[in-house]
Amino acid sequence: MKGLVYIDGQILPAEEAKISVLDLSIMRGYGVFDFLRTYQKLPFRLWDHLKRFEASAKEIEIPLPLSMNEVVDVIEQLLEKAPYPEANIKIFLTGGQSTDQYLPEDRPTFFALVYPVRIFPKEMYEKGVGLVTEIYERPFPACKSIHYLPAIVAIRCAQRKGAHDVLFLSHNKTLLETGTANFFGIKGSTVVTTGEGIIFGITRQVILELLEEQGISVEVRTIGYDELQTFDGAFITSSSKEVVPVVQVDDISFPLHPLTITLMKCFSAYTKSIESPFQKVL
């Protein structure tokens, strides 16, 4: 794939960058990451992503070998060298190499990757997508870990059924999140979304802010599976896909709601108004 990687103080083509086979990210799936993208070649909500990255590392007890200001410097260097109109950015922190191949030894591995933004099909936004449900609760739900096994298996299964993604449910059959995005429902003039057992997406937060600006009622609460039948519409949000209409969950169908279309336009306008996020923390 096209891409540039920062690792061990160097910037290399992605295909040349390497980490040890003894790294705990490979041996045990122990690590965290964050993902963001640029608009007008500027990283979107950079400091929100960095705060989440830092919190994820703290939750699973991986010490950060760089300060947040140093991480910002790395991202700046990568973007200066990246020859892409817009870029995706991933930052990783792993448990590092381990003598016993099990427990970390406080030698974490940090690396960062930039690569071209993926353009999703227009049909996804114009016609909406379908989801299928599956019961699964992520351990450490607020931590953006590299452990994606359940999501990968579930999404592949969902796609074989003709769906776009999987909508995870708690063991009590309450709505959580999809394999790659946050989920929102629309009931009358109110937007509902869950506030626990999920990763707190940055695009989700922007949408909540835009809804508040628009004076639209929002309920952040537990949502039972049966409540899906009362929805007038639904959508998902993520850094890569932005705002995507949902028109079906299992055998429950929704129209493509006008509010979803409005939010898609509002989010697009918001991304065009951002200023440089490269201010450092003193």
Side-chain angles (χ1 to χ4, degrees):
M1 63 171 283
K2 292 181 180 179
L4 294 173
V5 173
Y6 171 95
I7 189 166
D8 295 332
Q10 294 182 292
I11 293 178
L12 304 168
E15 62 272 15
E16 295 180 17
K18 297 176 176 63
I19 63 172
S20 169
V21 295
L22 297 178
D23 193 281
L24 287 173
S25 61
I26 297 171
M27 289 288 176
R28 303 292 174 182
Y30 182 53
V32 297
F33 81 105
D34 219 295
F35 170 88
L36 63 153
R37 59 155 294 176
T38 66
Y39 292 96
Q40 292 81 59
K41 298 188 176 181
L42 293 172
F44 183 66
R45 300 288 284 240
L46 173 61
W47 282 99
D48 289 332
H49 284 279
L50 292 181
K51 288 174 184 175
R52 186 174 66 179
F53 181 64
E54 188 174 35
S56 293
K58 184 176 181 180
E59 183 163 0
I60 65 169
E61 300 184 355
I62 304 179
L64 276 161
L66 285 74
S67 70
M68 287 297 100
N69 284 339
E70 289 171 325
V71 174
V72 172
D73 287 337
V74 167
I75 292 171
E76 278 192 285
Q77 291 172 43
L78 283 167
L79 291 177
E80 285 173 2
K81 293 181 179 294
Y84 321 125
E86 298 291 357
N88 287 332
I89 305 161
K90 284 184 177 177
I91 49 177
F92 291 85
L93 184 67
T94 81
Q97 296 183 51
S98 170
T99 303
D100 66 4
Q101 302 174 27
Y102 193 76
L103 293 175
E105 299 173 356
D106 291 333
R107 294 186 295 162
T109 300
F110 171 85
F111 62 97
L113 166 70
V114 296
Y115 57 100
V117 163
R118 175 185 175 187
I119 306 299
F120 290 91
K122 281 187 177 181
E123 183 178 2
M124 194 167 80
Y125 301 93
E126 294 172 350
K127 296 185 178 180
V129 300
L131 309 174
V132 294
T133 60
E134 182 170 314
I135 293 176
Y136 173 66
E137 297 180 39
R138 287 194 302 114
F140 305 99
C143 171
K144 197 166 177 67
S145 84
I146 63 172
H147 175 53
Y148 265 62
L149 175 60
I152 291 170
V153 173
I155 291 172
R156 292 183 71 181
C157 181
Q159 291 178 346
R160 285 195 293 270
K161 295 177 180 178
H164 172 74
D165 201 343
V166 59
L167 175 59
F168 288 126
L169 309 176
S170 73
H171 293 294
N172 294 324
K173 295 200 74 175
T174 59
L175 308 187
L176 296 174
E177 60 196 346
T178 81
T180 60
N182 291 121
F183 180 84
F184 291 79
I186 303 171
K187 294 184 67 171
S189 59
T190 300
V191 174
V192 296
T193 189
T194 189
E196 57 183 19
I198 61 169
I199 189 77
F200 294 104
I202 307 305
T203 304
R204 171 186 181 273
Q205 180 58 38
V206 173
I207 290 301
L208 291 174
E209 292 169 7
L210 292 173
L211 287 167
E212 183 178 10
E213 287 179 8
Q214 297 287 325
I216 296 168
S217 173
V218 177
E219 295 178 3
V220 180
R221 59 171 174 81
T222 299
I223 307 167
Y225 177 80
D226 292 342
E227 194 174 344
L228 280 168
Q229 300 180 57
T230 70
F231 286 179
D232 299 306
F235 59 93
I236 55 175
T237 63
S238 76
S239 292
S240 61
K241 299 171 186 174
E242 301 177 340
V243 182
V244 181
V246 173
V247 293
Q248 187 165 350
V249 177
D250 292 339
D251 59 354
I252 303 167
S253 298
F254 316 108
L256 204 163
H257 200 280
L259 178 55
T260 303
I261 298 171
T262 297
L263 288 171
M264 291 164 64
K265 293 177 180 177
C266 287
F267 184 82
S268 178
Y270 181 84
T271 63
K272 293 178 173 63
S273 66
I274 63 172
E275 298 178 356
S276 175
F278 285 121
Q279 182 177 358
K280 305 294 175 63
V281 175
L282 299 178

